């Protein structure tokens, strides 16, 4: 039994598609934690400047700063950070699509588990981008975000193990 009328008519999507979309958003939040952690370790002084910088910058500026900071830690760090930044940007784009879209059943095909995600284009409301997705595709996006988070945290740990790069308490 559904509590709300919109649930009965699946106005926002099925329980499965909404759970998958929620998984993407929750996994994306872990990606942001990784980026904040990396900025915190790459910009350790003055205290908390990396976290404060994360809070005031948008995602594009955060990634640009992360890449600049990695340069101070050598080529190995730059390579690892570049790969993380690439994965992060993909996760960001996918998360934004899912989090900011209107979900509608795709009646053009006979698969009632497939939904059209429609989102206004960046910078305007003149045009909408529309993409088809189903639960398994969204769960794959959530998994990519989760994997990116863990890769970021591996880089964080790797930086800690490098001579002269330990954080001071």
């Amino acid at each position: 039994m559904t509590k709300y009328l919109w649930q009965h008519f699946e106005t926002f999507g099925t329980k499965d598609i909404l759970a998958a979309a929620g998984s993407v958003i929750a996994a994306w939040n872990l990606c942001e934690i990784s980026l904040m952690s990396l900025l915190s370790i790459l910009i350790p002084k003055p205290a908390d400047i990396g976290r404060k910088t994360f809070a005031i910058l948008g995602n594009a500026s955060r990634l640009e700063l992360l890449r600049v900071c990695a340069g101070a830690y050598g080529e190995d760090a730059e390579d690892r950070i570049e790969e993380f930044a690439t994965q992060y940007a993909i996760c960001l784009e996918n998360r934004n699509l899912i989090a900011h879209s209107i979900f509608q059943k795709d009646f053009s095909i006979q698969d009632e588990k497939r939904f059209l995600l429609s989102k206004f284009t960046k910078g305007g409301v003149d045009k909408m981008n529309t993409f088809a997705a189903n639960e398994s595709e969204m769960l794959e996006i959530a998994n990519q975000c989760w994997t990116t988070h863990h890769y970021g945290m591996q880089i964080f740990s790797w930086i800690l193990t490098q001579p002269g790069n330990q954080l001071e308490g």
Side-chain angles (χ1 to χ4, degrees), residues 24-25 28 90-100 141:
V24 169
I25 293 166
W28 164 253
I90 293 168
C91 290
L92 171 62
E93 186 175 330
N94 288 332
R95 177 266 180 201
N96 284 345
L97 172 65
I98 291 167
H100 299 290
I141 291 168

Side-chain angles (χ1 to χ4, degrees), residues 79-148:
D79 291 345
R80 287 175 168 94
I81 292 294
E82 184 56 39
E83 179 60 29
F84 172 79
T86 299
Q87 291 177 22
Y88 185 96
I90 293 168
C91 290
L92 171 62
E93 186 175 330
N94 288 332
R95 177 266 180 201
N96 284 345
L97 172 65
I98 291 167
H100 299 290
S101 286
I102 299 165
F103 290 36
Q104 300 169 321
K105 287 186 181 179
D106 186 352
F107 293 108
S108 66
I109 58 174
Q110 297 301 321
D111 181 1
E112 57 179 66
K113 295 186 180 209
R114 195 154 189 81
F115 282 80
L116 294 176
L117 283 63
S118 300
K119 177 182 172 295
F120 289 111
T121 57
K122 191 172 187 171
V125 293
D126 300 341
K127 183 180 174 200
M128 291 187 92
N129 288 330
T130 302
F131 303 88
N134 62 28
E135 176 192 3
S136 64
E137 291 164 335
M138 285 193 198
L139 290 174
E140 184 58 36
I141 291 168
N143 189 59
Q144 290 168 349
C145 291
W146 184 83
T147 302
T148 298

Side-chain angles (χ1 to χ4, degrees), residues 45-90:
K45 292 186 178 187
D48 297 335
I49 193 70
R51 286 193 296 270
K52 289 176 183 171
T53 302
F54 175 88
I56 62 173
L57 294 177
N59 281 306
S61 298
R62 289 171 182 169
L63 286 177
E64 184 179 336
L65 179 61
L66 183 67
R67 287 178 171 119
V68 169
C69 291
Y73 288 83
E75 191 175 328
D76 286 341
E78 282 183 303
D79 291 345
R80 287 175 168 94
I81 292 294
E82 184 56 39
E83 179 60 29
F84 172 79
T86 299
Q87 291 177 22
Y88 185 96
I90 293 168

